[in-house]
Amino acid sequence: MADNTNNKSNTDTIDNSQSQQVRHLIDTLQGEHIGKEGGQSAIIFRMVMSDHLCPFGLKSLDALKHAGYDIIDRHITTQDENTLVKDTLGVKTTPQTFIDGKRVGGNDDLQVFLGNHEPETDDDTTYAPIIAIFAVTALMTLALCWAFAVSVLSIQALMWFVALSMCVLAIKKLEDLEGFSTGFLGYDLLARRVVRYAYVYPFLEAFAGIAMLADQPWLNPIAGIVAFSIGLVGGVSVIKAVYIDKRELKCACVGGDSNVPLGAISLTENVMMFGMGGYMLIRAFIS
């Protein structure tokens, strides 16, 4: 199966014998020449089968086109051809790209070579997932305000935003419940005492979010208690782990495979639940 990685991370210079082997592959395999006058030469070997069109090969080809390369595009149309290419080039995966006589590698290596991506490491951290979730739920909230003629500065708009964010975050956790629970147990104080709480937490978060959207008088106090409780415990857990114990952990807020660092932005989820849960409880008691 095609992949976006290769067995060598550095660019390899083609010696004379290998150059002849690459030329043999170019002559053997079908494909096309995508010319760009004055552009640097690039050769790409990618999987183009009747039942599988390699997505990483498409990404590599697109990146080369946009970078203005003169491309020799060669298609691997059978498993035998795939084996031939890998054995000839001494690699474990395809696609493989060569630029000006040097092997760049798979799609990840090519994107880094072209300056489209930064090199990735196993310990890379990013806030992108949580920012994306909050950005989309904010836009969804604006859409609801527009549809129901509600002010974006109203408590109702804030409730929608918090509820939608909780629901989406719960979905991310439920995608890999086992992975989430493992990460959650790394810092949550209640889960460390009652392990099963780590498995229940995403369901509680989803319930509270959905109940907030329903906004029913009999249901609001229950949703308020749940949101207030899990937000309080979660917030205290994050503060202790990050600001008191000074631990560097990954947040489980967007799922078990998250590279989001545990910290201020991660704390936002708990603050939102704690604050909105408290508001719903106060509103239920005074109404």
Side-chain angles (χ1 to χ4, degrees):
M1 181 177 178
D3 196 357
N4 66 325
T5 58
N6 57 84
N7 63 326
K8 296 183 180 180
S9 58
N10 298 323
T11 301
D12 298 330
T13 302
I14 306 175
D15 58 29
N16 290 335
S17 61
Q18 190 177 16
S19 179
Q20 294 176 358
Q21 293 173 323
V22 171
R23 174 55 57 184
H24 174 70
L25 289 176
I26 294 173
D27 295 336
T28 301
L29 301 176
Q30 300 177 357
E32 58 182 332
H33 181 198
I34 305 173
K36 180 74 173 182
E37 186 176 351
Q40 289 180 280
S41 63
I43 305 165
I44 180 171
F45 300 98
R46 63 190 182 97
M47 196 175 290
V48 183
M49 298 183 178
S50 58
D51 59 347
H52 178 67
L53 181 60
C54 177
F56 300 113
L58 288 174
K59 288 184 177 182
S60 295
L61 182 62
D62 179 74
L64 291 170
K65 287 180 180 178
H66 280 83
Y69 280 85
D70 182 27
I71 309 165
I72 296 177
D73 179 22
R74 285 297 176 262
H75 300 171
I76 302 169
T77 59
T78 66
Q79 287 297 338
D80 287 341
E81 289 181 351
N82 191 36
T83 300
L84 173 65
V85 169
K86 290 190 289 187
D87 289 347
T88 300
L89 301 181
V91 298
K92 295 181 179 180
T93 60
T94 57
Q96 291 293 322
T97 300
F98 292 79
I99 293 179
D100 288 340
K102 296 181 179 180
R103 187 175 76 84
V104 175
N107 179 63
D108 283 350
D109 292 321
L110 177 63
Q111 300 296 343
V112 171
F113 179 87
L114 296 176
N116 297 334
H117 294 167
E118 293 294 327
E120 294 185 359
T121 61
D122 292 337
D123 60 350
D124 276 350
T125 57
T126 176
Y127 287 107
I130 196 74
I131 292 173
I133 288 173
F134 286 156
V136 171
T137 53
L139 291 173
M140 294 168 69
T141 300
L142 290 176
L144 288 172
C145 290
W146 189 6
F148 293 98
V150 172
S151 171
V152 295
L153 301 178
S154 65
I155 292 295
Q156 179 62 70
L158 181 59
M159 182 181 293
W160 281 337
F161 172 68
V162 174
L164 290 169
S165 298
M166 290 173 64
C167 290
V168 176
L169 288 167
I171 291 170
K172 294 297 295 180
K173 295 175 177 69
L174 290 168
E175 284 180 343
D176 180 10
L177 186 55
E178 198 66 40
F180 161 76
S181 64
T182 301
F184 195 60
L185 285 165
Y187 59 88
D188 189 83
L189 298 176
L190 180 55
R192 287 183 162 195
R193 289 180 173 274
V194 184
V195 173
R196 292 186 182 275
Y197 173 67
Y199 293 90
V200 175
Y201 181 93
F203 295 97
L204 294 174
E205 185 175 29
F207 164 77
I210 295 169
M212 286 182 190
L213 291 173
D215 197 16
Q216 296 299 309
W218 66 271
L219 191 56
N220 286 342
I222 303 173
I225 291 172
V226 172
F228 181 87
S229 301
I230 63 177
L232 177 61
V233 173
V236 171
S237 299
V238 172
I239 291 171
K240 183 179 185 301
V242 176
Y243 300 105
I244 297 177
D245 297 341
K246 306 295 184 181
R247 300 171 63 199
E248 294 184 1
L249 300 170
K250 291 181 180 178
C251 181
C253 55
V254 290
D257 61 348
S258 166
N259 278 333
V260 175
L262 191 68
I265 293 184
S266 310
L267 187 60
T268 304
E269 176 188 15
N270 297 295
V271 171
M272 291 193 310
M273 290 190 294
F274 173 78
M276 189 52 62
Y279 165 76
M280 295 181 71
L281 286 173
I282 292 172
R283 190 180 67 169
F285 289 139
I286 65 176
S287 61

